[in-house]
Amino acid sequence: MKMNSKLLCVLANILTVSSVGVIATVAPNVAKADSKKTAATPAASHTETPNGAGLDAEVPSALMQLPPASKYYSPYAFVVDKKERTLNVWQQTGAGLKKVAAYPADMGRTAGEKKSEGDHKTPEGIYFLQTRLEGPTLDFSLYGQRAFTTDYPNFFDRTEGKGGSGIWLHAVPDKVALTRGSRGCVVVRNDIIAELTQYVRLGRTPILIQTATQMAPVAEVTKTNADLNAWLESWRASWEAKNIDGYISAYSDDFKSMKMNREQWKSFKERLNSQYQQITVRLSRPTILIDRNRAIVRFLQEYTSDMHADFGEKVLYLKKEKDGFRIVGEEWKKETSQVAREEIEATQGAATATANADTGKATHAQAN
């Protein structure tokens, strides 16, 4: 199906809906250390202090965009601060980002960023919780009542030659000090892992681990988010229009995917463009996360041409270069679930409704 230019513009604006609005913070700060007594401390403080000014508030600069009303992606993100020894839960709402919970946490017993197997360091970057482990398959004395695996090493870790595996978010028994130091995992109490479970959507809830959480004013985060959404829309529109030069300009010279480099990828796409008379590309509202000079963008993608059609999830791996972010890798996997189909239709429905409303306003203005 074709979408007119006005609808595409509205869709770009819909994708840009982000974190401007009321920001809530958690108080008080979570203590850095833990003892036997702290095991009985309430899981988290949920006292929220709304900031009416909104734009004067600060949020984690890594959390560019989490789809707020998504049934497919998670509106929650776990943000781990190694220096403060905390795990904070942030939620994207329609009004903006807010911190909904804060917990004490333990890290790798060796300071620094994980580089290799057995270094007992906690990695730093953007990861996603993958599987849930509990019951007889989990050693309670080591991992408590529940654990969530992560996707370490991720694309960037592998590209940089980092090694190791088995980095989890897990619990420990109450008798174990939360200052013991792990073999690289992020560790919380049993009652905390139980509470965190409500925020987990396997494969889609991010856990961002940093030496210290980088905070930024909402206005700054919103601008970067808008720029990235505009960049993504330009990439999509160039692909759909078979504008190969505009499309390939989004890719880094270091790009590699499907055993192809940038020039091979360009030739591959040019060959497909010559075969298809028409291409339509639809995207859902993306999840956008940034860590230092790297970013991960995840969205559902519907591709249709006169000869081929597919539907799945696309993941773009970006690196910030001197002239902006560029794609260094991408992945795609087929998606067949009904919730995924509803997600992309909801994005399109929101764009259509906004376009109709704008048309109505314009007509009314002309009549007046």
Side-chain angles (χ1 to χ4, degrees):
M1 61 176 284
K2 285 187 176 181
M3 293 186 287
N4 61 42
S5 58
K6 185 172 184 179
L7 183 56
L8 290 176
C9 181
V10 172
L11 179 58
N13 291 334
I14 289 293
L15 293 175
T16 307
V17 172
S18 176
S19 40
V20 176
V22 176
I23 306 298
T25 56
V26 173
N29 290 333
V30 178
K32 296 182 182 180
D34 144 292
S35 66
K36 291 182 180 179
K37 289 184 178 180
T38 58
T41 301
S45 168
H46 293 276
T47 302
E48 297 179 357
T49 306
N51 185 326
L55 294 177
D56 294 330
E58 291 190 335
V59 297
S61 59
L63 302 181
M64 282 294 111
Q65 183 166 290
L66 302 170
S70 174
K71 294 182 179 179
Y72 184 84
Y73 290 108
S74 176
Y76 297 98
F78 297 168
V79 179
V80 176
D81 188 311
K82 294 169 71 174
K83 182 179 179 181
E84 295 295 323
R85 301 178 63 81
T86 57
L87 185 157
N88 297 319
V89 182
W90 287 81
Q91 179 188 9
Q92 181 84 62
T93 70
L97 273 173
K98 67 176 182 179
K99 186 162 65 173
V100 296
Y103 308 97
D106 199 9
M107 317 292 163
R109 62 177 62 107
T110 304
E113 184 175 355
K114 187 168 187 62
K115 304 289 185 181
S116 59
E117 185 79 38
D119 63 10
H120 294 169
K121 298 178 181 180
T122 299
E124 296 178 16
I126 304 165
Y127 304 99
F128 291 88
L129 301 174
Q130 299 297 308
T131 57
R132 173 173 164 173
L133 306 174
E134 58 191 338
T137 61
L138 197 65
D139 186 334
F140 182 85
S141 65
L142 293 176
Y143 307 113
Q145 69 180 22
R146 185 170 301 151
F148 294 98
T149 66
T150 74
D151 57 347
Y152 176 87
N154 65 15
F155 172 87
F156 293 113
D157 297 322
R158 296 191 300 272
T159 301
E160 295 170 9
K162 295 178 182 177
S165 60
I167 300 300
W168 299 355
L169 166 63
H170 67 79
V172 288
D174 291 344
K175 65 181 181 180
V176 177
L178 204 56
T179 54
R180 177 185 62 176
S182 71
R183 290 178 288 185
C185 297
V186 177
V187 183
V188 294
R189 288 285 177 213
N190 272 319
D191 58 336
I192 304 307
I193 201 78
E195 185 164 342
L196 286 173
T197 301
Q198 67 183 306
Y199 304 119
V200 175
R201 196 167 287 176
L202 292 176
R204 297 166 199 149
T205 296
I207 177 168
L208 295 96
I209 308 173
Q210 299 175 321
T211 298
T213 302
Q214 301 300 307
M215 305 295 287
V218 171
E220 180 181 319
V221 173
T222 301
K223 181 183 184 305
T224 303
N225 179 48
D227 290 344
L228 280 169
N229 272 283
W231 173 91
L232 182 64
E233 170 57 17
S234 176
W235 170 82
R236 185 209 64 79
S238 294
W239 185 10
E240 186 173 78
K242 300 196 291 184
N243 174 5
I244 191 62
D245 290 332
Y247 171 81
I248 205 65
S249 69
Y251 289 78
S252 168
D253 290 340
D254 298 327
F255 172 80
K256 285 184 174 57
S257 183
M258 296 171 57
K259 299 182 179 180
M260 288 182 274
N261 60 28
R262 184 179 186 271
E263 288 307 308
Q264 292 168 326
W265 187 259
K266 180 181 180 182
S267 297
F268 170 63
K269 291 296 183 177
E270 284 179 320
R271 186 167 63 254
L272 292 178
N273 285 348
S274 68
Q275 295 173 6
Y276 302 152
Q277 295 296 317
Q278 178 184 337
I279 294 174
T280 300
V281 182
R282 294 202 301 165
L283 312 180
S284 70
R285 181 178 296 175
T287 291
I288 305 176
L289 305 166
I290 293 180
D291 174 58
R292 291 164 286 190
N293 66 335
R294 300 167 293 191
I296 295 178
V297 183
R298 296 180 60 170
F299 50 86
L300 292 165
Q301 173 185 291
E302 181 185 64
Y303 175 95
T304 308
S305 73
D306 48 302
M307 297 176 63
H308 176 75
D310 57 42
F311 178 63
E313 187 193 26
K314 175 69 64 70
V315 183
L316 299 179
Y317 299 98
L318 313 182
K319 181 176 70 173
K320 192 171 187 178
E321 300 181 345
K322 61 181 181 181
D323 55 349
F325 279 102
R326 294 290 181 270
I327 302 169
V328 292
E330 65 177 70
E331 298 171 350
W332 180 88
K333 64 178 180 180
K334 185 176 182 179
E335 179 58 79
T336 60
S337 69
Q338 181 61 29
V339 69
R341 177 58 65 182
E342 291 173 356
E343 178 81 6
I344 199 166
E345 293 301 333
T347 301
Q348 183 61 35
T352 301
T354 304
N356 290 340
D358 288 348
T359 300
K361 289 178 182 178
T363 302
H364 179 72
Q366 290 172 2
N368 290 338

